[in-house]
Structures are given as C-alpha cells and as structure tokens.
Amino acid sequence: MVQPQSFYDNDDAKHERIGLATLEDISKLILQSRGLEQTLLNIVRLVADRMETEACSIYLCEEDRLVLRATIGLSPESVGRISLGLSEGLIGYTAETRSVVNVGEPQSHPRFHYVVNSNEELYHSFLGIPLSDRQRLIGVMAIQTVEPREFSAIEISTLTTIGFQLSSIVHSAHLMDRLQRDSATPSSSALASKTTDPTSAMLKGELGFGGVAMGPAYLIDEHLGVAEIGDYCPVSPDVELERFAEAVEKAKIETLCLEKRIAQKLGEDDAAIFHSHLMILQDRVLIDKIRLLIQDGRSATVAIKHVISEYVETFRQMEDPYLRDRATDMEDIGRRLVAGMCGQAREVIQLPYAAIVVAKQLLPSDIALLDHARILGLVLEASDSNGHAVIVAKSLGIPTLIGVAGATRRIEAGVELILDSASGSLHIQPADEIRREYQRLELDGRRQQAELQQYKDRAAVTLDGTKVKLLANIGLLSDVAIAQQYGAEGVGLYRTELPYMARSSFPDRQTQYQIYSSVVEGFPNQTVTIRTLDIGGDKMLPYFDAPKELNPFLGWRSVRVSLDQREMFLAQIEAVLMAATHGDVRLMFPMVTNMEEIIACKEVVAEAKQNLAAQGWEIPNVPLGVMVEVPAAIMMADHFADEVDFFALGTNDLIQYLLAADRGNPAVHHYYDSLHPAVLSAIAHMVSVTGRRGKGLCICGEMASDPECFAILVGMGLREFSVSSPSIFELKAMLGKLKIDQLCELAADVLKLSSGKQIRAQVAKFLQSSG
Ligand code: PEP
Ligand code: MG
C-alpha cells in the first residue's frame, strides 16, 4: 500500500522523538542501575520497548569472543552461554564490518548462525549495531522483530546514536563492575589496615578541575589548626606582647615571601591573596583585640587562638560563598602567627616524587609552598570550590577532586591512585584492568593532543577557505600563557573582576594599569577586549558594601554598579586607556539595557581621556562596545549601533534572561538551553543588525566553545568567537572538515525548527555524518 508523504513525515518525527526520549532515559538508567548486568538488562528492555521490537540483545567483546550479556526476546538461559567468534554469524558480521547490518529474513542470510535453544528462529528481521569506544570495538547490539520489518533511515540513525551513547555507558559500567568485583576480593585491598570498609577501593568527590592523573599518593600532614593550640603559663604580659609583636613581624615577612613566590610562578593576580593576608596582618582592630587579651593575662598563643577562631567562625557563617571561603585565609594567617611564636619558619614542601597530593584542606600558604612541578593531581576532603587551592590548581591545570570524604584516612602514602576528576572518582590501588584502561585513555588523550597540536599555528578555516577568528576568554594573568599555548588570536573577553575579587580593597589605578598592560603585552599585534567590572549577581567583592537583594541577578549588578560608583569606574577606565598605549585594546561595558547607560559610560570615557591628556598621556583610539546580555539589548541593537563600534554576545547571561532560567541553578538546568530557538533567533537578529550597520560582532558566552553550537553559529554568519582556550584546537579541527555551504544549510535548517532538542539532534546527526 502506498502511504501518503505526510504519513512518512509524521512517522519520522515520531521516531526522532522516541529516539531522543530513549537516549535521555538510557542516561538516567545508568545512574539507577547496580552493576553491569542490571544496567545492560535495563537498556535492552528500554530499547525494545521504545522501538517496538520483540528482541534486543547486547553482546560484549570478551577475550576475542562476542558473549551475550543481556537480552530481551532470546532465551534468558542464553545469557553468558552464547559466545560467538568475532566473525561468526550476523553478530560477528556486524563486528567485522563495524557498520550497521540490516537484514530481512536473517535465517536465509549466508552469515546466519543458529544457536540451539536460543529462540532465534522466531525472528524475521535483524538489525546489528556495532558498539565502539573511540577506535575499539566493545560489542554489538542486535534488534530483532517477529514480523518482517524494514527499519527506516531515521530509526537506523537513532539506533546508531543510541549505540554510540551505549558504548560509553557500557564501557564505564564494565569498568565499575570489574572494579567492584576486584575490590571485593581481599587480596586487592592493601588498604584493609587503614580503612574500615575493605570494599571501598574507590572514593567519590566533586570536580575541582577536570582531568585524569595517575601516580602515587603524597599525604600532606594535617596542619595544626588554630583551634587545637594548647595553652601555657605566660611569664608577664609585657614579655608576651613583645613575643607577639615579633611573631607578627615574622608572619609579615613570610607572607611577603609567599606573595613573591606565587607572583613569580603564576602572576600577580594569583599572588594577590597574600597581599590581602598582609593587609589583615596590619589590621589594627585585629592586632589590638589580640593585644587586649594578652594584657588581660592570657598567653599570646591563646589570645591568637581566641581572636582568629572568632573571625574564622564569623566568616564560616557568611551567606556569600566567596566570603565563607575566606575563613581558610584567616586560619592560614593564624597558623603563620603561631608558627612565628614558636620560632618556626615554613619552607617549600619538596615532594620526594611526582605525586597526587592528598590533604584534608590546603591553605593558601600550603599550596604556595608546594613544589608545583611535581603535583600530578590534587585530592581534598574540603569542598570549597572557590578556595585558593582550587583557583591555583586551575591556573596550573592540575586535575583536582574536592569534597572526597575520608581521603586522608583511607589513603596511605605511596599507594597508587588514579584520579578522574571529571567523573568524580578516585581509584585507590586500582585493579590491573582499570589501570590498563586509564593508561590506554591517557595514551589516546596524549595522541589526540599531539594530533591537535598541529592546529596551534593554523588559521581557523573551513575546508573551502572561510576564515573565522578564535579569541580567548581570560580572567587571571596566568590565563595569558594558556591562551598563547592554544594559539588564541587575541582576547575577546577579559573579565576584570577577578583581579578585584582577589584583593582586600579596590585596586588603585596604578595597580590596574600594571595588570592590564601585562595582559595587553601578552598579545603583541593582537586585540585585547577589556570588559569593565561585572560584579553583582553571584559575584560580590568582599570589601564592597552591597545591598541585600531579593533578586540579585535582576538587581544592582554589572554596569549599574560601575555607573553608581563613578570614582571607581573612572579609575578603571583610565587604567584601561593607559594600558591601550601598550597594544591594541577594545573597551566594553557589560549588561547594558538602555541608551542612557551607553551615553553615561561614554561620558566617563571622555572624562578619563581628558584627565589623562592633562597628565601628559597620549591615548590611542580605543573602540567602544557593549555586551548583549539581556533581551532589551537585542531589541535595541539598531539604536545602540548609533553609539558603539562593536557588540559582544554574552550568551551565558542572555540565555538566562531570555529563558528565565538561572544559569547556576541545577533545578532549572534543563530550561537553560543554548540551542533554544529563541536564543538562535536573537543571535540571528544580532547578525543581521551588525551586518547591516557594519559593526563588529563577537560571541563570548560558553556556547561558542561547544562544537555543536559553534557549527550552527558559523553557519549563521558569525565570524568572531571568544572561547575557553583549551577548546580552540578542537574547534579548528572540526571547522577544517566542513564546507561553509554545508554549515549555512545546517543553520538555515535548524532555524526553522521549533525545539532545542530537535535542533541538537539535527546538528549531532550532521556532525556525525560529516565525520
Ligand atoms: C556572558 O554572560 O555570556 C559572559 C560572557 O559574561 P559572564 O559569563 O562573565 O557573565
Ligand atoms: Mg555576563
């Protein structure tokens, strides 16, 4: 019977919908399942149900055989029993060809291999999907139906995508299963003496900084917390006051040394934390409080303990996570003071071997004193993701896992560890299988990195020569070196709030000038786009008296704060203009919503120029731009274009304001969709306005670093992207395989779609078919 065209269309749409829902459910299943067997069984049940087939089976490669590991439709007794050679039967044929095998009436196919009591005789169609993880085949999924059935192209494509997703799930489920079995055997648990739970050879934590590290553990001794300091009988208040004054001086010198060490290793921004320690050590209120207790007859150590603990507790109670994390700084200062009392100066901690450092918590001075070159990874029991240790680990690119409960109790020095921070796991004394697997992954990763290295000095161009510009998003001084390492063509977004956040008071004009000019000098002959202070929302400055707001993201933030704090704003703009004498600088204002703000910002720029001219500065032309981060800016773009030279799309905020979904709230994460048609249509509007008005348009939100979004954005006509540096190679590699016409066609197609899910599926399919 001939079906009308629309029937096929509906059917295709239905298959696509079902496919997507199945993919989502499979992801959830892995989280709920216990062990490989159950996971695989759940998956075959789900796929058979959704694809309306009577049978679905998964075979896994095990020592050069394909072993049936889960089935719905074949006899349950066959599980573990059916084992085929790598080219035996239709399963082997799928494995051998590594491609989809679609066969009607399988029993008459020359490669059909009948296994007694398997129930295979019941089925009249066969679809084999290879499961492979990167280059390696890991198994085959087979779908069978009782009635002869022709699988549509959409069904095959969906099942291929499911197979793709399944591969990584099977792979990790396989690993986990092996791990659980291995660690349950007493021989593998060298930890037994240390741990109360002999099966726990894996600990879980949260991501601090992504990456995999392998190596022996190095335990940092639990430092003497301020609260644990014992007491002694003071000789006299005068002697104690003198000892205390000496200890403060020693602590100051030590802090200066730490600041210098970190400034040399990482840059001024990272060292700024010690500058604020120094300010605290000079704080009269703090010092007087301690002195008062000493005068009351307490020993100096107890007085320090008392006052510092009070400060630590106050910080810990604070609502703002940034300030809460500053409790660690107070502890660190307290410890340095006490060390000064006992005449101990702390020295650089030389790691005897390259190691994964395990500690309860690392105070800023611990991380400053560690021998960074030998830290392979970092495992912390504490979970402050804004803590200094994590900030430095990110700057140094050290894979870091935080919030690992019981790490120092369960891990012995020297024991072998594998840290996989992206998946939140820490393997202790891993089984050979796990180790081999990670070694292979590391090798693959290194090969991939080496392969990608070739892109460093290559331009970002499509296969047929359309060039795009890939700039970097940066925040800390240490990001400059990273951006250079990845061959960034300049900076599309320099977030200046980070140097502000790392200090204990507003950095003055001179300090800012020094920081900005060293960034600008890091990119000779390239453009550096400096954004003025963007605080408020989730980012507040510790020394800033900010109002308590019900809706901080809709409140006093970003350029609104700058315009209200005119002196601070003026100093920052003067510093940026001064830095423009060192290279090619663009200046931009964040979160602009109306014309008056732009005019007011330009007035401050004019005043800054006047001031500088009066001081003898010759400032070159600095193009001015605004960030498009709120829906109003999209609608006002044509008017804004009368006043500015360029626009920057800040999609991180734009998406949250367009879709009313807080960018940091996991509960509404699924509403925050970069490929929502409304987001793409807003971007398309900006491409059209800026094209017509001859203004620059750069996109600097995170979505530009996502290859799927990137492909669509290039197709939509965007030519300037500011991304996280490590994504540059991958984007260049992908772009080089595609033609601009294909990308334009893709963009035109997805712009017609009405759901983010459909758009994502379409672009995923496009990228898969383009290799
Ligand atoms: C943005 O909102 O997309 C952006 C780049 O700014 P930030 O992430 O700093 O808010
Ligand atoms: Mg923003």
Side-chain angles (χ1 to χ4, degrees), residues 269 271-283 315 322-323 326 329-330 333 498-508 511 541-545:
D269 284 354
I273 193 83
F274 292 108
H275 196 73
S276 42
H277 285 196
L278 210 55
M279 313 269 282
I280 297 173
L281 282 167
Q282 281 162 348
D283 181 37
F315 275 117
Y322 178 83
L323 291 180
R326 301 287 69 80
D329 293 308
M330 281 318 292
I333 290 166
L498 290 164
Y500 277 80
M501 289 169 89
R503 286 178 163 69
S504 56
S505 62
F506 280 119
D508 60 17
T511 309
L541 302 179
Y543 45 85
F544 204 62
D545 221 1

Side-chain angles (χ1 to χ4, degrees), residues 531 534 557 627 629 653 663:
R531 175 177 79 181
D534 182 20
R557 62 167 296 205
M627 290 194 69
E629 301 187 276
D653 275 315
R663 64 195 257 188

Side-chain angles (χ1 to χ4, degrees), residues 656-676:
Q656 79 165 343
Y657 291 126
L658 262 181
L659 307 180
D662 181 341
R663 64 195 257 188
N665 180 351
V668 292
H669 188 64
H670 56 294
Y671 285 103
Y672 187 95
D673 180 4
S674 340
L675 289 179
H676 189 293

